[in-house]
């Protein structure tokens, strides 16, 4: 599944904003190992660079952005995205840009702590906690199904 990360979720991880950083970090780790394809909006990258530069300086900010770019794909922002965002039902322009860039990038879900900002989205919107719970449930069901199939195959092959 392709998931776009809202800026607030990325900042939760980078700034270790508790209690939000724990579930967001889990999802980051899933992106790192390839369980999901993670996307960042191009505007998220510029916002994070700006904020990081103020806090840790330009050199460290560049290193953090390089790390993000090695893990995440980028949902581009172009004229079509901006025009769709300005005409969107979403009231927050930044959220509208992220949403439209996600749609144009073929993303299936957005992970955010501001679900209200995406209330008119036609893409699934999850909080980090919801996405972690949902994914863990799917993994448990998948493991049980795989175990059941394996047991079935063993029974057939020994009988």
């Amino acid at each position: 599944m392709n998931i776009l990360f809202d800026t607030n979720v990325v900042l939760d991880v980078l700034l270790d904003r508790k209690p939000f950083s724990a579930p967001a970090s889990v999802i980051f780790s899933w992106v790192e190992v390839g369980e999901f394809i993670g996307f960042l909006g191009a505007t998220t990258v510029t916002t994070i660079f700006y904020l990081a530069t103020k806090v840790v300086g330009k050199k460290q900010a560049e290193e953090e952005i390089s790390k993000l770019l090695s893990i995440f794909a980028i949902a581009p922002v172009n004229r079509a995205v901006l025009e769709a965002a300005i005409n969107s039902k979403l009231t927050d322009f930044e959220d509208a840009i992220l949403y439209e860039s996600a749609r144009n990038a073929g993303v299936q879900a957005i992970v955010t702590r501001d679900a209200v900002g995406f209330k008119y989205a036609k893409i699934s919107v999850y909080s980090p906690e919801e996405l972690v719970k949902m994914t863990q449930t799917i993994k448990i069901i998948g493991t049980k199904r795989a175990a059941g199939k394996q047991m079935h195959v063993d029974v057939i092959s020994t009988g």
Side-chain angles (χ1 to χ4, degrees):
M1 176 163 54
N2 297 343
I3 301 171
L4 182 119
F5 285 66
D6 193 359
T7 307
N8 57 44
V9 176
V10 178
L11 289 172
D12 289 343
V13 173
L14 295 179
L15 300 174
D16 194 21
R17 298 194 294 199
K18 299 199 184 312
F20 310 115
S21 59
S25 294
V26 169
I27 302 167
F28 259 56
S29 70
W30 290 338
V31 171
E32 285 182 287
V33 298
E35 290 188 38
F36 294 122
I37 297 173
F39 281 80
L40 299 177
T43 54
T44 295
V45 176
T46 59
T47 299
I48 289 170
F49 182 78
Y50 173 79
L51 294 173
T53 300
K54 298 277 186 201
V55 175
V56 297
K58 185 178 182 206
K59 182 176 176 164
Q60 183 65 35
E62 289 170 345
E63 290 174 18
E64 294 303 319
I65 293 298
S66 291
K67 289 177 192 174
L68 289 173
L69 293 175
S70 72
I71 299 168
F72 291 92
I74 302 301
V77 175
N78 56 27
R79 181 182 195 94
V81 166
L82 294 172
E83 287 176 348
I86 201 76
N87 294 310
S88 172
K89 288 183 179 180
L90 302 182
T91 57
D92 182 280
F93 189 54
E94 180 187 5
D95 290 343
I97 292 171
L98 285 175
Y99 172 69
E100 293 299 335
S101 66
R103 281 183 357 107
N104 280 291
V107 169
Q108 289 93 21
I110 296 172
V111 62
T112 181
R113 282 194 300 105
D114 178 26
V116 173
F118 295 93
K119 71 179 177 181
Y120 296 109
K122 294 180 181 175
I123 297 173
S124 297
V125 177
Y126 302 104
S127 71
E129 296 83 3
E130 290 171 330
L131 188 57
V132 167
K133 286 178 186 173
M134 181 183 76
T135 302
Q136 288 173 336
T137 300
I138 290 169
K139 286 180 180 183
I140 290 168
I141 291 169
T143 301
K144 286 182 179 179
R145 284 186 180 158
K149 286 180 185 177
Q150 183 63 43
M151 288 170 55
H152 180 72
V153 170
D154 289 343
V155 171
I156 292 172
S157 65
T158 59

